[in-house]
C-alpha cells in the first residue's frame, strides 16, 4: 500500500506537469486542446533529438525541448486557433484533433515512428529507502522539478504583468480589452506557456520511459482526467489532480490491471456527475 | 426576330439510337477488356500477387519490413516467377488494411473479385489474417501466410484455406525455457507477464506448459491490458512475489523495454529475464543499452541461422544484401515475408500449364511441399497447413557492446549462455 502511494505520487508529478498547460488553455482561451498530448510527445522527442543528435547536455536539451514546444504552441495559436476559437466548441475540438494528427504525422516523418528514450548518467545513487519503499533517485528529481516548475508557473501567473493579463482575459475578455490588453497576443503567450510546460513534461518523461509519436492521445486523455479531478482551469487543481490521478491510476494498475482504464474512467464519471468543478475548481467549466 | 441558330436543336431519334448503340458498345468493351486482360494475365506471362498489410497503425513498422521483403524477393528473382515451367513477370497489388479486420476482408474481396489476383499472400496480425482467410475461403481459394501464428488459424482455416509458414506461438518459448531449465542451479520460480489478448495468452500457456514439464513454479502471473502505459505497477507486483529466478514477458518490444526499465528502477533483479519474441527488435537494444546484458529473447529467425536457398549461400548473405538494399538488417518478419512468394514459386514451378492457379491442385501441391533449403529453413506443412516447426531458438545478449548469440537449441547454439545474468 505504501509502495502504491509513493510511486503513484511520483508519477503524479509528471501528470500534473503535463496538465498545467491543458488547464491554462482551457481556463484562458476556453478551448479543449486535443493537440496537447502531441505537444508533450513533441517536447520529449525534441529533447531526445537535441541530446543524442547534437550532444547537447540534458539540462540544455530539456530547456530547448520545452521552449521549442512552447514556440510550436504559439504558432498553432496564431495560425489556427486564433481564427476559430470563437466558433462552436465542437469545431475547435475537431480542429485541435486535426492539429494533433498533423503534428504527429510530421513528427513521424522527421523522427520515425519508433519509440525513443534518453538514457542519463546522473551520477546519483540508484535510490534510497523511504520506510519500506525503494525510491529511485531520478524519479525524485523528476518529482522535484515538477513541483518547482509548478511554483514557477504560480509566480508567473500570480505576480507578473503577463500573469495579470492572462487572468484578466480569463475572468472577463471585454474588460481586459477595454483595459488595453491585446487579447490575441495574450492568447499566444498563453499557448506558449502551455506548450512550454507540456514540452517540459515530455522532456522529463523521455528519461523514464520510451516516447513515440503515436502515444500523444493517451497524454491528452490523461491531462483531461487530471483537470477533471483537480478542477477545470485551476492551476492548483491541476497539481492536486495530477497527484491524485497518479495514485489512482497506479493503484488501479497494481490491484486490477486488466480493468485499470475502466476504473480511472469510472472515477472521471463520478466526478462529472457529483463534482463537475473538480476538487479545487470554482465552478463547472462554462464557455465564455 | 427569332434566331434559330441560337436554339439548341433536339437530337433526332436516329442520332439518339446511334449514340446509344455506340455508348453501349463502348461500355461493353470497357467492362470486358479488363476481364479479357485479367484472364490473359495468368496465361499471358503475368503472375498477379495480391496482399494487404497494416501499413498504418500499430504494426506500421513491421508492415514496412514485410513490404520491403516482398520487394526484395521480386528483385532477387528479377521480377519473375517460374510457373508451370515458364518464366512470368510478377505484378504486386498491396493495400493498407490499417490493422482492421473488416478492412482486410473488404480488400481481400477486392483483390480476388476486382483485381483478379492469381495469388493472395497473408497480412500481419491474427484478426486480420482470419478475416482475410474467411474471404479466401468463400472464393474456394488458398493462401499462404506467416503474419498470424495463433492456433486459431489452424482451427478455422488450416489445411484447406490457409498454409501458415510460421510456427505456433505456443512454441515461441520452447528454446528459452529448455535452455533455462538446463541451468545449474535449476530455476524454480517464474513470474509471467501476459498481455490480455488471445495470442499472448497462447504464448503464456506455452510458458506454463514448459514450466510444468520442467518443474518450475509460476509464482505470479500478471495480465495486462493491451493499452498499458505504465509498467511500474507490474514491476512492483513481481517484486512482491519474492526472489524470482525467471521473469518471462510475452509482450512486444516496448513492453520488454518498459518492464526492464521499471524492474531496474525499483531493484527487481531476476536471475533471468526473457524479453519475448520481439526482443530482437533493434529498438530494444538501442533503448536499453547496457541493460541488455544477459537478456534472453526468443526468435524464429536470425541471420546466424544456417539456412540457404538457390540464390543465397547463407542467411547471412541474404541479410547483408537486404541491408545493402534497404539500409537495415532484416528481422524475422522480413525473412517470413520473403518466403511467402518463394513458397508459391516452388509449389507452382511444375503446375499444369492449362490451369496453373487452380485452387485444388495448388492446395495439393502446398500440402506435399517439402523444401529442405530455404532462407526460412526447411518448409513443409502438416495436415492443418502449419509449418512443421516445434520450437523457436533462444538468443542471449552478451559482450560489450551486447550482441545476440544463439544459446538454444543445442545443435544451433553459438554460446553456452549466461545464468544468472548480471544485475541491471
Amino acid at each position: 500500500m505504501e509502495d502504491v502511494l509513493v510511486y503513484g505520487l511520483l508519477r503524479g508529478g509528471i501528470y500534473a506537469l503535463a496538465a498545467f498547460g491543458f488547464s491554462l488553455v482551457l481556463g484562458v482561451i476556453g478551448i479543449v486542446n486535443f493537440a496537447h498530448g502531441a505537444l508533450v510527445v513533441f517536447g520529449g522527442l525534441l529533447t531526445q533529438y537535441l541530446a543524442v543528435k547534437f550532444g547537447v547536455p540534458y539540462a540544455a536539451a530539456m530547456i530547448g525541448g520545452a521552449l521549442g514546444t512552447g514556440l510550436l504552441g504559439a504558432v498553432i495559436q496564431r495560425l489556427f486557433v486564433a481564427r476559430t476559437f470563437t466558433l462552436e466548441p465542437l469545431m475547435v475540438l475537431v480542429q485541435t484533433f486535426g492539429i494533433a494528427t498533423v503534428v504527429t504525422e510530421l513528427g513521424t516523418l522527421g523522427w520515425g515512428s519508433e519509440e525513443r528514450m534518453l538514457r542519463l548518467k546522473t551520477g546519483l545513487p540508484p535510490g534510497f529507502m523511504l520506510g519500506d519503499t525503494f525510491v529511485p533517485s531520478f524519479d525524485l528529481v523528476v518529482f522535484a522539478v515538477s513541483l518547482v516548475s509548478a511554483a514557477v508557473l504560480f509566480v508567473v501567473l500570480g505576480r507578473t504583468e503577463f500573469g495579470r493579463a492572462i487572468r484578466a482575459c480569463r475572468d472577463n475578455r471585454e474588460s481586459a480589452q477595454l483595459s488595453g490588453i491585446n487579447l490575441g497576443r495574450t492568447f499566444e503567450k498563453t499557448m506558449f506557456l502551455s506548450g512550454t510546460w507540456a514540452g517540459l513534461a515530455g522532456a522529463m518523461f523521455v528519461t523514464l520511459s520510451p516516447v513515440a509519436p503515436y502515444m500523444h492521445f493517451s497524454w491528452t486523455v490523461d491531462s483531461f482526467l487530471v483537470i477533471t479531478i483537480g478542477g477545470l482551469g485551476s492551476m492548483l487543481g491541476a497539481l492536486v489532480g495530477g497527484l491524485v490521478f497518479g495514485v489512482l491510476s497506479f493503484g488501479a494498475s497494481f490491484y486490477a490491471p486488466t480493468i485499470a482504464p475502466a476504473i480511472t474512467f469510472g472515477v472521471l464519471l463520478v466526478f462529472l456527475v457529483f463534482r463537475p468543478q473538480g476538487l479545487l475548481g470554482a465552478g463547472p467549466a462554462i464557455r465564455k | 426576330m427569332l434566331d434559330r441558330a441560337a436554339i439548341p436543336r433536339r437530337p433526332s431519334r436516329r442520332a439518339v439510337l446511334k449514340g446509344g448503340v455506340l455508348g453501349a458498345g463502348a461500355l461493353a468493351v470497357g467492362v470486358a477488356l479488363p476481364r479479357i486482360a485479367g484472364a490473359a494475365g495468368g496465361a499471358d506471362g503475368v503472375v498477379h500477387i495480391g496482399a494487404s498489410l497494416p501499413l498504418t497503425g500499430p504494426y506500421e513498422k513491421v508492415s514496412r519490413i514485410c513490404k520491403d521483403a516482398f520487394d526484395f524477393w521480386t528483385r532477387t528473382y528479377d521480377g519473375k516467377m517460374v510457373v508451370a515451367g515458364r518464366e512470368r513477370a510478377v505484378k504486386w497489388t498491396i493495400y493498407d488494411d490499417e490493422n482492421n479486420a473488416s478492412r482486410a476482408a473488404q480488400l481481400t474481396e477486392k483483390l480476388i473479385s476486382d483485381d483478379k489476383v492469381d495469388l493472395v499472400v497473408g497480412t500481419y496480425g491474427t484478426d486480420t489474417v482470419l478475416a482475410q482467410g474467411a474471404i479466401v475461403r468463400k472464393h474456394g481459394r488458398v493462401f499462404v501466410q506467416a503474419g498470424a501464428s495463433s492456433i486459431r488459424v489452424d482451427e478455422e482455416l488450416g489445411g484447406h484455406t490457409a498454409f501458415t509458414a510460421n510456427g505456433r506461438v505456443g512454441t515461441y518459448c520452447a528454446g528459452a525455457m529448455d535452455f533455462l531449465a538446463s541451468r545449474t542451479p535449476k530455476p524454480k520460480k517464474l513470474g509471467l507477464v501476459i498481455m490480455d489478448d488471445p495470442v499472448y495468452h497462447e504464448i503464456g500457456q506455452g510458458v506454463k506448459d514448459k514450466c510444468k514439464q520442467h518443474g518450475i513454479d509460476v509464482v505470479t502471473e500478471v495480465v495486462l491490458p493491451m493499452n498499458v502505459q505504465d509498467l511500474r505497477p507490474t514491476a512492483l507486483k513481481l517484486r512482491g512475489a519474492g526472489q524470482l529466478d525467471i521473469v518471462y514477458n510475452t509482450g512486444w518490444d516496448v513492453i520488454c523495454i518498459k518492464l526492464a526499465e521499471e524492474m531496474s528502477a525499483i531493484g527487481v533483479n531476476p536471475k533471468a529475464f526473457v524479453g519475448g519474441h520481439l526482443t530482437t527488435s533493434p529498438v530494444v537494444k538501442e533503448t536499453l543499452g547496457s541493460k541488455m546484458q544477459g537478456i534472453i529473447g526468443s526468435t524464429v529467425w536470425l541471420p546466424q541461422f544456417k539456412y540457404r536457398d538457390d540464390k543465397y549461400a547463407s542467411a547471412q548473405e541474404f541479410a547483408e544484401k537486404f541491408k545493402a538494399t534497404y539500409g537495415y538488417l532484416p528481422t524475422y518478419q522480413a525473412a517470413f515475408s520473403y518466403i511467402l512468394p518463394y513458397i508459391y514459386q516452388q509449389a507452382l514451378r511444375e503446375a499444369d500449364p492449362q490451369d496453373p492457379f487452380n485452387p485444388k491442385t495448388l492446395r495439393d501441391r502446398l500440402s506435399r511441399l517439402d523444401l529442405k533449403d530455404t532462407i526460412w529453413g526447411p518448409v513443409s506443412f502438416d495436415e492443418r497447413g502449419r509449418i512443421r516447426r516445434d520450437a523457436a531458438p533462444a538468443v542471449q545478449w552478451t559482450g560489450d557492446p551486447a550482441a545476440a548469440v544463439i544459446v538454444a537449441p543445442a545443435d544451433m547454439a553459438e554460446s553456452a549462455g549466461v545464468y544468472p545474468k548480471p544485475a541491471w
Side-chain angles (χ1 to χ4, degrees):
Chain A
M1 183 63 191
E2 183 191 297
D3 291 333
V4 171
L5 191 66
V6 171
Y7 293 141
L9 285 172
L10 290 173
R11 277 286 189 270
I14 294 252
Y15 291 130
L17 204 55
F20 287 141
F22 193 81
S23 183
L24 193 65
V25 167
L26 179 63
V28 177
I29 309 178
I31 63 162
V32 174
N33 181 13
F34 257 75
H36 191 73
L39 294 179
V40 175
V41 169
F42 180 84
L45 292 176
L46 183 58
T47 303
Q48 196 266 358
Y49 185 72
L50 292 173
V52 173
K53 184 81 176 174
F54 300 106
V56 177
Y58 174 64
M62 180 179 75
I63 292 168
L67 293 178
T69 312
L71 198 63
L72 177 63
V75 169
I76 288 171
Q77 171 64 27
R78 176 172 287 193
L79 295 184
F80 304 106
V81 180
R83 296 157 202 265
T84 57
F85 77 98
T86 51
L87 301 176
E88 284 294 312
L90 185 64
M91 300 288 285
V92 185
L93 202 72
V94 171
Q95 186 196 41
T96 56
F97 193 81
I99 291 168
T101 308
V102 171
V103 170
T104 302
E105 288 302 319
L106 290 178
T108 306
L109 271 178
W111 288 310
S113 56
E114 63 269 24
E115 300 77 12
R116 285 159 194 272
M117 192 174 165
L118 186 57
R119 305 202 64 80
L120 294 181
K121 285 179 182 162
T122 59
L124 294 168
F128 60 92
M129 295 303 290
L130 182 69
D132 291 333
T133 304
F134 178 80
V135 179
S137 299
F138 199 68
D139 279 24
L140 200 68
V141 170
V142 171
F143 186 70
V145 170
S146 301
L147 293 185
V148 169
S149 70
V152 170
L153 193 58
F154 289 139
V155 171
V156 168
L157 291 176
R159 309 270 179 200
T160 65
E161 195 58 39
F162 168 54
R164 272 188 283 279
I166 282 182
R167 281 184 287 126
C169 291
R170 180 192 65 193
D171 296 339
N172 192 317
R173 282 179 193 169
E174 284 181 9
S175 300
Q177 280 180 301
L178 288 172
S179 308
I181 294 171
N182 184 329
L183 209 61
R185 297 284 292 169
T186 307
F187 284 175
E188 268 174 33
K189 287 176 183 171
T190 302
M191 200 61 132
F192 175 79
L193 213 55
S194 166
T196 301
W197 257 256
L200 190 60
M204 300 256 92
F205 191 72
V206 77
T207 62
L208 299 174
S209 192
V211 172
Y214 68 83
M215 296 174 179
H216 69 99
F217 192 64
S218 64
W219 278 104
T220 301
V221 173
D222 288 348
S223 298
F224 196 79
L225 285 165
V226 165
I227 63 162
T228 305
I229 293 170
L232 302 178
S234 157
M235 289 300 110
L236 188 60
L239 178 61
V240 173
L243 300 179
V244 171
F245 178 71
V247 175
L248 176 71
S249 67
F250 196 94
S253 299
F254 182 77
Y255 292 110
T258 47
I259 56 163
I263 293 172
T264 45
F265 275 94
V267 171
L268 171 79
L269 291 177
V270 169
F271 265 93
L272 286 175
V273 171
F274 294 106
R275 197 169 168 82
Q277 71 271 38
L279 290 172
L280 297 172
I286 297 168
R287 188 172 174 78
K288 297 180 184 78
Chain B
M1 196 177 153
L2 190 66
D3 181 3
R4 290 187 180 275
I7 301 171
R9 288 176 60 190
R10 280 185 63 190
S12 69
R13 188 178 296 171
R14 179 183 292 246
V16 169
L17 281 173
K18 204 168 153 186
V21 168
L22 281 174
L27 191 68
V29 170
V31 168
L33 258 183
R35 289 171 189 275
I36 294 163
D44 221 27
V46 176
V47 181
H48 191 174
I49 307 176
S52 75
L53 285 169
L55 292 165
T56 51
Y59 292 139
E60 187 181 317
K61 280 180 288 176
V62 171
S63 293
R64 284 184 192 155
I65 295 172
C66 297
K67 195 162 178 257
D68 285 346
F70 292 156
D71 180 62
F72 190 60
W73 175 84
T74 312
R75 285 166 183 251
T76 299
Y77 288 91
D78 295 326
K80 295 186 175 71
M81 182 190 272
V82 177
V83 175
R86 257 188 64 202
E87 216 171 50
R88 300 167 195 235
V90 173
K91 176 188 169 189
W92 285 88
T93 299
I94 301 172
Y95 295 121
D96 176 14
D97 63 35
E98 301 156 18
N99 191 36
N100 177 321
S102 320
R103 186 90 183 117
Q106 190 186 15
L107 291 171
T108 307
E109 183 66 56
K110 180 172 162 52
L111 284 168
I112 295 173
S113 302
D114 299 344
D115 300 326
K116 307 285 180 197
V117 297
D118 299 309
L119 302 166
V120 176
V121 297
T123 179
Y124 189 88
T126 304
D127 290 338
T128 43
V129 165
L130 288 172
Q132 193 180 31
I135 302 300
V136 174
R137 185 179 189 175
K138 188 185 92 176
H139 287 274
R141 307 269 291 259
V142 291
F143 76 129
V144 183
Q145 68 91 20
S149 299
S150 170
I151 199 164
R152 288 164 65 200
V153 179
D154 298 8
E155 289 167 354
E156 295 178 29
L157 304 164
H160 51 83
T161 303
F163 286 82
T164 302
N166 203 355
R168 276 194 302 278
V169 291
T171 65
Y172 278 6
C173 67
M177 290 305 294
D178 290 343
F179 164 73
L180 287 168
S182 68
R183 301 296 96 183
T184 307
K186 186 180 168 182
K188 290 190 174 72
K189 293 179 178 176
L190 179 140
L192 184 57
V193 178
I194 300 178
M195 307 312 293
D196 197 9
D197 177 270
V199 174
Y200 295 97
H201 278 285
E202 211 176 308
I203 300 175
Q205 189 55 50
V207 177
K208 286 188 257 185
D209 291 345
K210 275 288 174 189
C211 284
K212 200 174 171 185
Q213 180 190 331
H214 293 302
I216 299 169
D217 289 334
V218 180
V219 292
T220 185
E221 182 181 329
V222 188
V223 180
L224 298 173
M226 293 292 278
N227 59 354
V228 66
Q229 296 293 326
D230 191 355
L231 271 289
R232 175 73 60 89
T234 308
L236 190 57
K237 278 225 163 188
L238 294 170
R239 197 175 71 183
Q243 177 57 51
L244 294 167
D245 296 319
I246 305 168
V247 168
Y248 197 111
N249 163 48
T250 65
W252 53 93
D253 45 7
V254 178
I255 302 296
C256 169
I257 295 167
K258 288 186 173 182
L259 196 55
E261 286 291 344
E262 295 300 350
M263 285 197 295
S264 138
I266 64 168
V268 181
N269 262 307
K271 291 177 187 161
F273 174 54
V274 185
H277 63 291
L278 289 179
T279 318
T280 49
S281 176
V283 70
V284 178
K285 191 181 156 190
E286 279 164 25
T287 311
L288 289 180
S290 60
K291 288 179 186 166
M292 280 306 281
Q293 287 292 343
I295 289 183
I296 295 168
S298 62
T299 182
V300 287
W301 187 87
L302 275 181
Q304 294 98 303
F305 287 8
K306 307 283 183 241
Y307 297 153
R308 59 193 294 277
D309 69 6
D310 55 325
K311 293 286 184 184
Y312 298 104
S314 66
Q316 196 67 50
E317 188 187 324
F318 165 85
E320 280 162 14
K321 185 81 188 291
F322 187 98
K323 190 180 178 189
T325 310
Y326 303 102
Y328 62 93
L329 270 174
T331 59
Y332 76 88
Q333 291 98 342
F336 75 46
S337 299
Y338 177 89
I339 204 70
L340 298 179
Y342 184 90
I343 287 173
Y344 275 129
Q345 174 165 260
Q346 300 307 317
L348 292 167
R349 192 174 283 275
E350 289 165 13
D352 177 6
Q354 297 305 311
D355 189 8
F357 305 109
N358 180 289
K360 186 178 178 307
T361 51
L362 178 57
R363 190 176 294 118
D364 291 343
R365 286 179 174 280
L366 286 168
S367 301
R368 290 199 310 270
L369 205 62
D370 188 11
L371 305 172
K372 303 293 182 209
D373 286 323
T374 81
I375 282 306
W376 185 239
V379 175
S380 67
F381 298 102
D382 64 18
E383 66 285 356
R384 304 300 293 270
R386 174 72 67 165
I387 194 168
R388 291 189 169 90
R389 199 162 288 189
D390 298 331
V395 291
Q396 188 172 38
W397 277 261
T398 53
D400 187 22
V405 290
I406 305 166
V407 292
D411 60 342
M412 293 174 82
E414 301 170 313
S415 159
V418 177
Y419 178 87
K421 76 169 193 65
W424 297 114

